[in-house]
Amino acid sequence: MAEASADGGLDAVAAAKLHGALLALCQSFAEKAFQSIPEHSLVATARGCIVAVRMPCASGTFILGVLADSSEPIGLTLRESLDAAKDLAAILDTGDAAGQSG
């Protein structure tokens, strides 16, 4: 678990638990509605967005949670979150950073 926060006010452990719960709720709904597992969820608020991404690693047990304030474009936040999850999964699976996209 890692945390980067400008104000330092975020409890990383609590945020990790909430990201897991958010994706689990989305998964439950997606399985019933589409018989499919979600790759990510996105919640947009007036003050920013919350992204939870299932990391595509071999173990399948990791979630990347990203919080971005409203100064960041939602689409860009989602794209960068998906790319970061892919890169981190490659590192976890192979032990090196060869899968990084920049």
Side-chain angles (χ1 to χ4, degrees):
M1 177 173 38
E3 175 187 0
S5 178
D7 63 9
L10 179 66
D11 177 357
V13 174
K17 289 177 183 178
L18 288 172
H19 277 106
L22 175 62
L23 201 54
L25 177 62
C26 291
Q27 179 169 329
S28 180
F29 186 74
E31 285 175 342
K32 292 194 183 326
F34 299 112
Q35 292 78 45
S36 184
I37 296 173
E39 295 177 10
H40 65 274
S41 67
L42 180 126
V43 177
T45 75
R47 297 185 65 190
C49 67
I50 302 163
V51 179
V53 180
R54 183 179 313 282
M55 289 177 48
C57 53
S59 70
T61 59
F62 295 99
I63 295 170
L64 173 65
V66 176
L67 303 170
D69 66 27
S70 59
S71 69
E72 296 296 322
I74 293 173
L76 184 57
T77 300
L78 177 58
R79 177 74 269 153
E80 289 181 347
S81 298
L82 293 169
D83 291 347
K86 182 180 175 184
D87 292 346
L88 289 169
I91 292 168
L92 290 172
D93 287 343
T94 65
D96 70 24
Q100 290 185 348
S101 63

